Amino acid sequence: MCGIVGYLGPSQNSVQIVLEGLKRLEYRGYDSAGVSFIDEHNQMQNFKKAGKLENLKSELVGKNLVARTCIGHTRWATHGGVTDNNAHPHSNDILSIIHNGIIENAHDLKSQLEKEGVVFKSETDSESFLELVTFELRKGMPIAQAISQSFKKIHGNSSFVVLYPKTGEIYAIKRGAPLVAGINDVTSEALVSSDPYALAGMVHKLYFPEDEVLLHLSAGNHHLINFYELDLTKTKRYLSKKQDLSVQVSEKGEFEHFMLKEIHEQPELIRGLTQYYFGGEGYESLTRVAKLKPMRILVSACGTAAYAGMVAKDFFEGLNRIPTIVELASEFRYRNPIIQANDLGLFVSQSGETADTLAAQAMCKKAGIQTVSIVNVEGSTLFRDCDENLLIRAGVEIGVASTKAFTQQVLTARLLAAALSGKLDDADYRVKLAGKFSLLAERIDQLLANIDNIKNIAESIYHKKGFFYTGRGVYFPIALEGALKLKEIAYVHAEGYAAGELKHGPIALIDEDIVNIAIIAPDLYEKTISNVQENKARKGIIVGIGQLGDKEGTRLSDYYIGVDFKGLDELAPLYINVVNQLLAYYMAKFKGTDIDKPRNLAKSVTVE
Ligand code: M6R
């Protein structure tokens, strides 16, 4: 969702530093950008523009940007259209603020403030916080108190950064939304952001505050950043960590898009994950989780991560016989789910900041059960809130379409299943499982070295009217994930279906302009073939993905992608998923869409 960056320090280049941070956050998706800074004459300057960061940069050309303190924002519209006026920062003569999240009672707050004579300049909910703080300041309240008192009055999940020109200081606070601060104590710089990635290479130490902790960034502070409770007593409610992210990860190298780069990273990441969990630090975390001996596993996640959870269910039920319920976090949180003692809450997420997933975790925690994450971003809110964490070690994922994270999530779940089975200590078992991981990496390498067939098929079908991805059993979540990838980056209608289910309704849609991407796996082979036949009989275009050399699959298909399932066993769905990732990527490329930053989407969905 919205990106936040704030800088305070001796450098007079604060605007450039903030713009660099915002650039790194572009991958999260946004529709406008802006900055506020305090110039060399101690005057606050504000610039904001709808559209890409480049629009804002053009606006800044020729301006005097000498400034030691700056805050910047990339907006993903929720309240109010995409206009210059609705872009952040929101400012008046005494204050400037940036916001990520939603103020649920903004309407009421605005009405109350309007009665006091406040005139709002934008349609946003965010401006209500600006005017609330300003209202308190005008009554004579000191700034820190004005922020904490105002923060108490707003409902919903939000993070705010406030620039106070009178003292040249920055304040930040959050509830249920991401916020991280960092310091470089050599150069005496302090930064704040919604994403640690924006601060990579700029700071040595990161601080992740808990909810309702007020951060005060000040050059005059001995510590550069001080942390306070809402009653303004000092607090230690934050996690600190060495900053070890590299900036280089943000480069596309030889690849045209981050998505393609990230697809290609998968074999190496699989090898890394094997080492981490079999030979490295990860082993301990797996054994700790296995000791929880759950009677049931409740998986909550969103989007691609939820599909990874569905594959995980197959492992936990198939291999461990542990009943597993997978639910979309956005549904789970508003039902009255049955949560029992000895259940384990398992939360799958790339970012660790997805609002619904966080809410589901909080519900489980409140119900008193153990919560575990399968997560990519170490130090994210989910990581901090769960009792245990299993890192997926996917590195930074920039493409909005999640690819490598899915593979790593599923493999981490497979490792957890191994740990839960109690066989992880058995050397033979470990060698066998590590061998399977390594075979998967090898097969993906081979696939990536021979993509011409997939590319040609993508070129032949990308303009078709609609796409049904079908699969049975554990290939059903793979079908769902394949369809999600295609619709989000190629903007075409695609659905994932259990192959046996089409005849219960959707088959009515099949005609010569509809493509059936059919996963013809060795499991339930004959039944799947019959389903393909039903679609072919209705003139559907069949793209079969099946065993190399399978005559029947090839004969039935208009286009056939032969792959080698042998030896991969329960990991084969991940291999097929890479085929789907490539198909989606090339279809989007032929359509000419913005693959890494598809329209209307954000990388990390921090609002519900
Ligand atoms: O960061 P998370 O894994 O929690 O994100 C969940 C979904 O928002 C995410 O997987 C989304 O569906 C992706 N854009 C899919 O490619």
Side-chain angles (χ1 to χ4, degrees):
M1 297 276 134
C2 302
I4 280 177
V5 185
Y7 171 95
L8 180 147
S11 170
Q12 296 191 327
N13 268 338
S14 67
V15 180
Q16 299 307 338
I17 294 169
V18 166
L19 289 173
E20 165 61 23
L22 293 180
K23 180 149 188 47
R24 294 190 201 166
L25 299 185
E26 276 191 303
Y27 78 99
R28 298 169 70 107
Y30 70 104
D31 47 52
S32 346
V35 286
S36 285
F37 55 88
I38 301 172
D39 70 15
E40 51 187 341
H41 310 295
N42 271 336
Q43 295 302 310
M44 186 164 67
Q45 305 273 353
N46 305 297
F47 296 92
K48 47 194 200 172
K49 278 311 262 180
K52 298 279 177 205
L53 198 54
E54 288 313 313
N55 298 359
L56 173 68
K57 286 186 182 166
S58 308
E59 184 79 3
L60 293 171
V61 171
K63 305 281 184 324
N64 181 357
L65 302 180
V66 175
R68 291 200 165 91
T69 314
C70 179
I71 61 173
H73 189 267
T74 47
R75 174 175 188 244
W76 190 86
T78 57
H79 291 52
V82 179
T83 63
D84 291 354
N85 215 27
N86 288 335
H88 297 214
H90 292 284
S91 55
N92 54 31
D93 52 335
I94 50 175
L95 213 56
S96 178
I97 66 125
I98 50 181
H99 171 218
N100 174 23
I102 290 181
I103 303 176
E104 288 169 358
N105 55 337
H107 180 74
D108 294 346
L109 293 172
K110 278 183 156 186
S111 309
Q112 285 162 25
L113 287 161
E114 272 163 352
K115 280 186 202 138
E116 301 289 341
V118 174
V119 178
F120 285 93
K121 292 183 277 191
S122 77
E123 302 158 304
T124 65
D125 54 337
S126 315
E127 205 186 348
S128 62
F129 186 71
L130 169 81
E131 292 303 340
L132 258 184
V133 182
T134 306
F135 186 69
E136 304 294 3
L137 284 173
R138 291 200 204 281
K139 284 196 307 198
M141 207 179 258
I143 178 74
Q145 199 183 347
I147 295 171
S148 66
Q149 291 306 312
S150 305
F151 192 69
K152 282 185 198 165
K153 291 187 186 145
I154 62 152
H155 299 167
N157 293 335
S158 286
S159 50
F160 294 96
V161 176
V162 178
L163 175 65
Y164 190 46
K166 189 173 171 190
T167 57
E169 294 169 340
I170 290 177
Y171 292 83
I173 193 160
K174 67 132 192 157
R175 183 190 306 120
L179 187 70
V180 57
I183 57 163
N184 182 330
D185 34 25
V186 178
T187 54
S188 299
E189 292 167 296
L191 287 99
V192 63
S193 179
S194 48
D195 185 336
Y197 178 53
L199 311 185
M202 298 185 189
V203 296
H204 300 132
K205 203 164 177 188
L206 292 175
Y207 299 94
F208 297 92
E210 290 184 17
D211 280 355
E212 305 196 339
V213 168
L214 179 67
L215 280 67
H216 176 207
L217 281 64
S218 161
N221 274 344
H222 173 55
H223 295 298
L224 290 171
I225 306 179
N226 282 321
F227 301 84
Y228 300 94
E229 295 293 344
L230 289 183
D231 65 5
L232 303 184
T233 52
K234 284 222 169 185
T235 185
K236 290 215 156 74
R237 282 200 305 120
Y238 55 82
L239 183 122
S240 60
K241 170 178 176 295
K242 216 172 121 232
Q243 195 288 128
D244 47 15
L245 269 179
S246 132
V247 200
Q248 274 79 40
V249 286
S250 66
E251 281 154 20
K252 281 188 279 203
E254 66 194 92
F255 297 99
E256 196 178 338
H257 294 99
F258 280 110
M259 180 179 175
L260 190 61
K261 177 183 177 227
E262 287 159 6
I263 291 173
H264 279 259
E265 278 170 12
Q266 292 176 107
E268 264 328 286
L269 289 171
I270 295 171
R271 294 181 183 111
L273 193 78
T274 319
Q275 270 183 4
Y276 179 74
Y277 279 109
F278 283 139
E281 322 153 46
Y283 184 77
E284 296 289 311
S285 51
L286 274 179
T287 47
R288 276 199 308 273
V289 177
K291 278 194 193 122
L292 299 172
K293 295 202 183 318
M295 297 296 288
R296 297 193 313 163
I297 301 179
L298 310 180
V299 182
S300 284
C302 300
T304 291
Y307 300 147
M310 288 170 75
V311 183
K313 171 186 165 85
D314 212 70
F315 298 150
F316 302 142
E317 294 198 334
L319 305 171
N320 307 107
R321 306 308 289 158
I322 301 177
T324 302
I325 295 161
V326 184
E327 265 195 87
L328 296 172
S330 55
E331 291 298 314
F332 180 85
R333 65 180 293 190
Y334 288 116
R335 289 196 315 107
N336 184 12
I338 298 171
I339 304 175
Q340 298 167 345
N342 296 326
D343 282 350
L344 174 73
L346 184 64
F347 306 91
V348 188
S349 177
Q350 187 285 125
S351 62
E353 301 294 353
T354 301
D356 288 318
T357 308
L358 293 178
Q361 187 274 342
M363 254 173 91
C364 288
K365 193 151 188 142
K366 197 163 168 219
I369 63 167
Q370 292 289 309
T371 59
V372 174
S373 78
I374 290 186
V375 69
N376 194 28
V377 182
E378 194 176 352
S380 59
T381 308
L382 186 67
F383 178 93
R384 282 174 287 128
D385 289 353
C386 281
D387 299 301
E388 291 287 349
N389 297 287
L390 300 172
L391 289 169
I392 65 167
R393 314 264 303 170
V396 178
E397 193 179 63
I398 304 267
V400 163
S402 189
T403 51
K404 57 180 181 171
F406 177 86
T407 302
Q408 300 290 97
Q409 284 160 350
V410 170
L411 289 175
T412 306
R414 177 63 188 92
L415 289 160
L416 175 57
L420 288 165
S421 72
K423 292 187 194 151
L424 213 56
D425 292 328
D426 175 342
D428 289 347
Y429 180 88
R430 279 178 23 200
V431 168
K432 214 169 138 206
L433 190 59
K436 240 188 248 181
F437 275 47
S438 147
L439 186 64
L440 174 67
E442 201 180 294
R443 292 272 163 84
I444 298 176
D445 266 335
Q446 285 160 2
L447 183 69
L448 293 172
N450 296 290
I451 50 174
D452 286 351
N453 183 31
I454 295 179
K455 228 193 234 177
N456 293 338
I457 295 174
E459 189 170 14
S460 310
I461 61 173
Y462 76 92
H463 54 281
K464 295 293 175 195
K465 193 169 75 190
F467 295 79
F468 276 102
Y469 284 71
T470 52
R472 302 191 69 128
V474 72
Y475 293 93
F476 170 44
I478 299 301
L480 290 167
E481 168 60 6
L484 175 62
K485 275 313 72 105
L486 185 65
K487 59 189 143 193
E488 73 180 318
I489 61 167
Y491 317 151
V492 287
H493 186 73
E495 281 190 71
Y497 249 90
E501 195 52 28
L502 281 196
K503 62 170 91 62
H504 297 287
I507 204 164
L509 293 169
I510 303 280
D511 64 19
E512 56 283 342
D513 214 19
I514 296 285
V515 180
N516 174 205
I517 299 185
I519 305 171
I520 311 170
D523 340 13
L524 293 170
Y525 173 79
E526 277 155 17
K527 306 238 177 263
T528 312
I529 286 285
S530 306
N531 299 141
V532 173
Q533 254 154 353
E534 288 155 10
N535 298 331
K536 193 170 176 67
R538 278 137 192 108
K539 300 199 170 63
I541 302 158
I542 310 293
V543 177
I545 307 174
Q547 178 61 43
L548 207 61
D550 171 36
K551 292 209 178 76
E552 187 58 358
T554 314
R555 187 186 67 78
L556 279 176
S557 303
D558 297 280
Y559 306 96
Y560 192 72
I561 303 170
V563 292
D564 189 3
F565 287 81
K566 287 192 204 93
L568 289 173
D569 307 328
E570 75 282 9
L571 303 188
L574 289 173
Y575 177 38
I576 303 305
N577 191 53
V578 180
V579 174
N580 284 344
Q581 291 172 351
L582 289 166
L583 265 176
Y585 173 80
Y586 284 109
M587 283 198 252
K589 190 160 142 55
F590 286 117
K591 283 201 78 175
T593 55
D594 190 351
I595 294 183
D596 283 333
K597 285 175 264 164
R599 67 185 182 200
N600 305 339
L601 291 178
K603 178 68 184 160
S604 169
V605 185
T606 54
V607 294
E608 64 171 292

